[in-house]
Amino acid sequence: MGSGRLYVAVAAGGFRRYATYRAATAAGVFTNTVFGLILVYTYLALWDEKPHLGGYDQAQAVTYVWLGQAIFAALAIGGSGVESELMERIRTGDIAIDLYRPADLQLWWLAADLGRTLFQLLGRGVIPFAFGALLFQVALPEDPATWAAFVVSLLLATVVSFGIRYLIALLTFWFMDGTGMTHMTMLAGFFCSGMMLPLNVFPGALGDVVRDLPWSSLLQKPADLLLGEADPWDTFAFQGTWAVALLAAGRLVQSVATRRVVVQGG
């Protein structure tokens, strides 16, 4: 099998795997919808007091909320992507089997995560977003070019998200227990991606810092693009730079980490 078809097959397998968890998907849809409602009414109250907070009007703020709920699981902003399985395989030593496969370790897990992302986006993201768009006034673009740019931004966000989580997972080679790192990643994802509040709201130096961190690529950058508040090429350049940097860092750490793998008999 050609390498391209191999990774497509891995991605398809990741999609099918997550598609089997129907009860979990239904529970996720319900959870995202409920949290979306809570956040929307909180945002509406906040924007009543502070109109155009962060440069958004109320319709844009509401759209931001439902977009966040739509892509939260897909981009594993709070964790719980393929990195959980990778951590476990490193901890148990099963990673040695992965290293013997005639495939690149990083690309294998990236392909698996892309399959997971696509299912979570379709299975868990569409319904809450559609629900919010029907129930509230939202600000969605009419220009197909904006939607196309948003899709590209979302793809880049997927790679950035994987790059962050892959690096965290590789640290298990040294720490063996990834629980603490997983919790830290979850907190960073919530705060620095803009899931709690748009990063545009953060004041002064704090806002400047969080908007330059890779987590802003996950929600804030795609949201600004969809809401017509950002230039597509500037957004692509920012996300692309972080994607390349994180993948390169992951490749370097992987090279160092796999030297620690000892397989019985050699």
Side-chain angles (χ1 to χ4, degrees):
M1 179 181 294
S3 59
R5 287 188 295 164
L6 170 63
Y7 297 120
V8 169
V10 172
F15 184 97
R16 289 194 300 269
R17 177 181 178 184
Y18 280 85
T20 61
Y21 300 115
R22 297 176 183 175
T25 300
V29 169
F30 177 78
T31 301
N32 286 126
T33 303
V34 170
F35 271 98
L37 287 170
I38 294 172
L39 283 174
V40 160
Y41 284 113
T42 303
Y43 275 36
L44 288 175
L46 182 58
W47 259 259
D48 276 338
E49 293 295 322
K50 297 285 186 179
H52 298 286
L53 182 64
Y56 294 158
D57 59 27
Q58 278 196 348
Q60 288 176 313
V62 168
T63 307
Y64 183 94
V65 169
W66 290 113
L67 177 60
Q69 294 305 310
I71 66 176
F72 174 74
L75 296 184
I77 292 175
S80 299
V82 296
E83 76 281 358
S84 300
E85 182 183 355
L86 177 55
M87 286 179 173
E88 181 64 15
R89 293 184 70 80
I90 294 172
R91 189 188 67 80
T92 61
D94 289 341
I95 190 66
I97 299 173
D98 299 339
L99 294 173
Y100 271 114
R101 290 186 180 128
D104 181 84
L105 183 69
Q106 188 182 52
L107 290 179
W108 177 283
W109 287 100
L110 174 58
D113 200 53
L114 288 173
R116 180 204 61 81
T117 297
L118 181 58
F119 173 76
Q120 295 285 27
L121 187 62
L122 297 176
R124 186 168 166 174
V126 171
I127 293 177
F129 190 81
F131 174 84
L134 290 173
L135 199 62
F136 298 92
Q137 181 182 358
V138 294
L140 296 177
E142 298 180 356
D143 185 4
T146 302
W147 283 103
F150 171 71
V151 171
V152 173
S153 178
L154 206 56
L155 179 60
L156 289 171
T158 301
V159 179
V160 172
S161 173
F162 169 79
I164 295 170
R165 292 178 286 112
Y166 188 72
L167 273 172
I168 297 300
L170 290 178
L171 295 180
T172 310
F173 276 104
W174 286 272
F175 296 104
M176 296 306 296
D177 186 355
T179 303
M181 293 178 291
T182 299
H183 289 164
M184 290 175 62
T185 304
M186 178 183 68
L187 291 174
F190 271 108
F191 185 79
C192 298
S193 69
M195 276 299 300
M196 303 302 296
L197 274 173
L199 301 182
N200 298 339
V201 173
F202 288 25
L206 175 61
D208 294 336
V209 170
V210 293
R211 284 190 291 271
D212 285 337
L213 293 176
W215 287 277
S216 68
S217 295
L218 307 187
L219 174 56
Q220 187 66 58
K221 297 298 182 181
D224 279 341
L225 197 56
L226 187 69
L227 296 172
E229 298 293 333
D231 177 74
W233 295 109
D234 288 344
T235 302
F236 299 159
F238 180 88
Q239 292 178 297
T241 299
W242 271 117
V244 171
L246 288 166
L247 291 178
R251 179 73 60 177
L252 177 62
V253 175
Q254 172 187 310
S255 176
V256 174
T258 50
R259 296 172 190 168
R260 298 174 55 87
V261 178
V262 178
V263 180
Q264 185 174 1

